[in-house]
Every structure is written in C-alpha cells, then in structure tokens.
Amino acid sequence: MVIGLLAITAIPTVTGVAMGVSEQRKANERKNDERRMAKFNIDVAPPPYEEPDDEVQGLRVVLRNSKVYLDDPIPSKRKVPAHTAAAFYIEYPEPDHLKDLKRGYGLATTISDNPPMLGWIYADKDTHEVKYGNRTMSCEHVVGPWDWDEEETTVTLEENCQFVAVQEDDGAWALYFDRDGDELEGVLEEQGKLDNDFQPLRLKRNLIEQQVQKMKNDNS
Ligand SMILES: *[C@@H]1O[C@H](CO)[C@@H](O)[C@H](O)[C@H]1NC(C)=O
C-alpha cells in the first residue's frame, strides 16, 4: 500500500520535473530567438585602436540596386535614394541542393517598406562585394554564418569582423567583406580598383527599439 502510493505520486513528480526542464529550454530558446530577431540598423565603427575616418564615420548600411552601400543615416540627406537596412539574424533556409551546407544564421533585412519585403544580405563569393537579394540570388554566395561579437555589438560573417568601404567612381561608398584578410588587395586588383579610396571598418548593431526609446527620452 505504501509502495503503491509512492509509486503513484512519484510519477507526476518525475514527469513534472521533466516537463519543467523542457519548458524552460523552450522558453530560453524563444528568448534567444527574440534577441536574434530584434531588428537593428547597421552602423560603421572604426577598427580597434584606429582613429575614426572622417569620410565613413557615422554612415549606415543602405540598400539599392542589389548592392549594399554606406550612406547618411537620414534618408533625405542621401544623394541617391536608398532603403535603410533593418536587419536581424535568422537561420538561412538552405535550398534542397545545398542542404548539407547548413550555414547557420543568415542576415535577413527589410529591402522595402512599402510593400514590406525581406531579403538576405550576403557577400559575393567572387568579388567580395556585399549585396542583398532573395534566396535564389544569394544561396550560391557567402550567406553566413552571420553572428555577433563583443557583447552582441559587432557584426561578423564567417567569424570575421573585417569589412571595407570602397569608394566607387561616383563617390558612393560600397561595402565589401575582407574574406581573405588582405584588405581586399586580391579582389580589388581583379576588379581594377586598386587605386580606389578604401577604408577598413567594423559593422555595429544599432537596435531600432533602443533608438526609438532614446528618441522618446530625448523628447520628454
Ligand atoms: C529572385 O530575384 C531575382 C533577381 O531580382 C528575380 O529574377 C527572381 O525572380 C527572384 N526569385 C524569386 C523566387 O522571387
């Protein structure tokens, strides 16, 4: 009788604990996903121990014509109209023929507000230009893993935080990924752009929710 009672009461306790753990894990995963999916603008910062460069300091990642550029955070101050990237991390949906790659987090971004549309930010595997597009356009290129570093502030791709701004002939600053760690010497030579002005930099997450909060605080 005593044993029977113990046995009966023991069952719900054990499953209760087990459920508690898995519920907790699910809650943690949800929280992680929420943090990963928090939208941010991407702003320029100088590499560590370097002075900020006047020309690219304060610029923000913007999108136009399938390419990623750096321009003024205020849209009306841009010489060429562009969409401000609002990005977040989410598992890159590998197409069937690349399923085995499992490249982890992609960097999704709004590519237009009206209509609201999303795309993927990626580095061109040949030119190392940073571009954006749909899955078909991006999947053959460097689509991830994107991540964060330094207390979730610095954006990394393939565990590398080195990006470079390269000035194009019209003065626009195009964004490149320094995949080979040579400050783009190899790829720029191939593209005949060795004489273009360039600026190594880091990309920083600037959470949109925090910007909104700050604006509210400043106005009150
Ligand atoms: C992906 O983008 C390309 C180029 O913009 C376009 O031609 C193609 O139709 C798009 N594919 C899908 C599935 O939307």
Side-chain angles (χ1 to χ4, degrees):
M1 186 62 199
V2 169
I3 290 167
L5 195 61
L6 271 179
I8 290 163
T9 55
I11 291 162
T13 313
V14 170
T15 55
V17 168
M19 265 172 60
V21 168
S22 86
E23 288 303 306
Q24 186 59 46
R25 192 164 55 219
K26 270 192 218 147
N28 286 347
E29 276 167 15
R30 258 198 307 273
K31 216 164 159 189
N32 264 334
D33 286 348
E34 260 169 46
R35 274 170 55 229
R36 287 292 184 177
M37 290 185 70
K39 283 207 185 96
F40 56 93
N41 296 132
I42 309 170
D43 290 343
V44 169
Y49 314 114
E50 283 186 31
E51 291 293 313
D53 173 79
D54 286 345
E55 288 188 274
V56 298
Q57 192 56 30
L59 299 187
R60 176 165 288 182
V61 162
V62 303
L63 314 174
R64 61 181 158 91
N65 297 336
S66 303
K67 268 186 61 160
V68 173
Y69 291 92
L70 303 172
D71 210 335
D72 201 288
I74 301 168
S76 60
K77 291 193 179 170
R78 295 174 195 159
K79 278 199 214 95
V80 186
H83 174 79
T84 308
F88 58 95
Y89 299 100
I90 191 166
E91 196 84 9
Y92 186 80
E94 300 289 357
D96 280 342
H97 71 289
L98 298 172
K99 270 269 182 293
D100 295 342
L101 287 183
K102 290 194 184 74
R103 284 169 287 187
Y105 284 118
L107 189 59
T109 178
T110 59
I111 60 173
S112 79
D113 291 326
N114 194 10
M117 291 207 297
L118 295 174
W120 300 99
I121 296 183
Y122 65 93
D124 186 295
K125 65 179 166 40
D126 302 312
T127 63
H128 297 187
E129 293 164 289
V130 181
K131 298 180 173 175
Y132 67 97
N134 58 26
R135 190 171 69 162
T136 314
M137 294 288 292
S138 59
C139 68
E140 307 283 346
H141 294 278
V142 187
V143 296
W146 289 89
D147 207 344
W148 57 38
D149 201 359
E150 309 208 55
E151 295 176 356
E152 305 183 5
T153 57
T154 302
V155 177
T156 66
L157 175 56
E158 296 183 320
E159 300 183 353
N160 175 351
C161 58
Q162 303 184 96
F163 292 84
V164 181
V166 176
Q167 195 163 39
E168 301 194 325
D169 296 340
D170 61 1
W173 288 100
L175 185 65
Y176 282 69
F177 176 47
D178 187 4
R179 200 181 189 197
D180 300 330
D182 64 352
E183 295 194 336
L184 301 183
E185 200 174 328
V187 288
L188 288 186
E189 183 164 17
E190 279 169 21
Q191 295 165 48
K193 292 184 181 168
L194 273 183
D195 291 334
N196 291 40
D197 211 354
F198 75 99
Q199 202 55 54
L201 51 85
R202 298 286 182 272
L203 298 175
K204 294 284 180 186
R205 295 171 76 232
N206 190 349
L207 285 163
I208 290 171
E209 182 134 332
Q210 283 176 8
Q211 296 176 50
V212 172
Q213 201 57 47
K214 185 170 181 302
M215 244 155 49
K216 280 187 192 153
N217 293 344
D218 290 350
N219 289 339
S220 62

